[in-house]
């Protein structure tokens, strides 16, 4: 019994030291496995980016219509099934008017949610393209942030043109946006009487 206890202790010490040996060792072990390099993702050029962006916006707009109809019909079905007493006012309003307005509100809510549903459908239908589009869009917004005019130079006679670059749909419109930003900056510094660096 004493001998089996000694064997168990010796085994525990050797297994513990063998587990710690790779952590304490300074030698490096080279693997013989071959590592496959991943092929880089194809990059979008700017013209393709703007075309895909237009396509995604079309999906968003198209997604708004069925969601609006679904919201309107769902709201109408729910409010039409409620019991209505035409002689009794509800919160000081005619119940039919209130239920009709609530149905329209459900339709407007569906119309507001629709672009998100359309974007999600676009991402599901073209996963790889959506990833490349997101990557290029992040780069695009870095350009927008770096080149837009200072909003503090805005005034009633000099409003800031397209702060987020949402109206940019091609390289030509991007150059036009850049000219408008420089013009806004020039007018703003002229009105302040000082020149920005």
């Amino acid at each position: 019994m004493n001998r089996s206890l000694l064997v168990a202790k010796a085994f525990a010490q050797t297994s513990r030291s063998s587990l710690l040996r790779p952590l304490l060792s300074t030698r490096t072990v080279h693997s013989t496995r071959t590592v496959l390099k991943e092929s880089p993702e194809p990059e979008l050029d700017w013209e393709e980016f703007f075309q895909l962006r237009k396509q995604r916006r079309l999906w968003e707009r198209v997604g708004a219509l069925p969601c609006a109809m679904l919201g309107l019909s769902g709201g109408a079905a729910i409010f039409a099934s409620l019991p209505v007493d035409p002689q009794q006012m509800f919160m000081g309003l005619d119940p039919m008017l209130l239920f009709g307005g609530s149905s329209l509100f459900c339709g407007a809510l569906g119309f507001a949610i629709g672009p998100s549903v359309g974007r999600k459908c676009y991402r599901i239908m073209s996963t790889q393209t959506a990833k490349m589009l997101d990557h290029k869009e992040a780069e695009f917004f870095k350009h927008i942030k770096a080149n837009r005019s200072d909003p503090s130079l805005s005034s009633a006679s000099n409003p800031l043109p397209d702060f987020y670059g949402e109206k940019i749909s091609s390289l030509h419109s991007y150059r036009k946006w850049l000219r408008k930003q420089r013009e806004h900056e020039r007018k703003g510094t002229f009105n302040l009487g000082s020149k920005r660096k």
Side-chain angles (χ1 to χ4, degrees), residues 37-55:
K37 292 184 178 180
E38 293 182 16
S39 61
E41 289 183 5
E43 283 283 323
L44 289 175
D45 65 353
W46 289 108
E47 287 297 328
E48 287 176 323
F49 166 71
F50 288 122
Q51 289 299 321
L52 289 173
R53 198 171 177 213
K54 282 181 190 176
Q55 187 180 12

Side-chain angles (χ1 to χ4, degrees), residues 15-25:
S15 65
R16 194 176 311 135
S17 64
S18 67
L19 288 174
L20 292 176
R21 190 174 300 134
L23 296 175
L24 300 174
S25 138

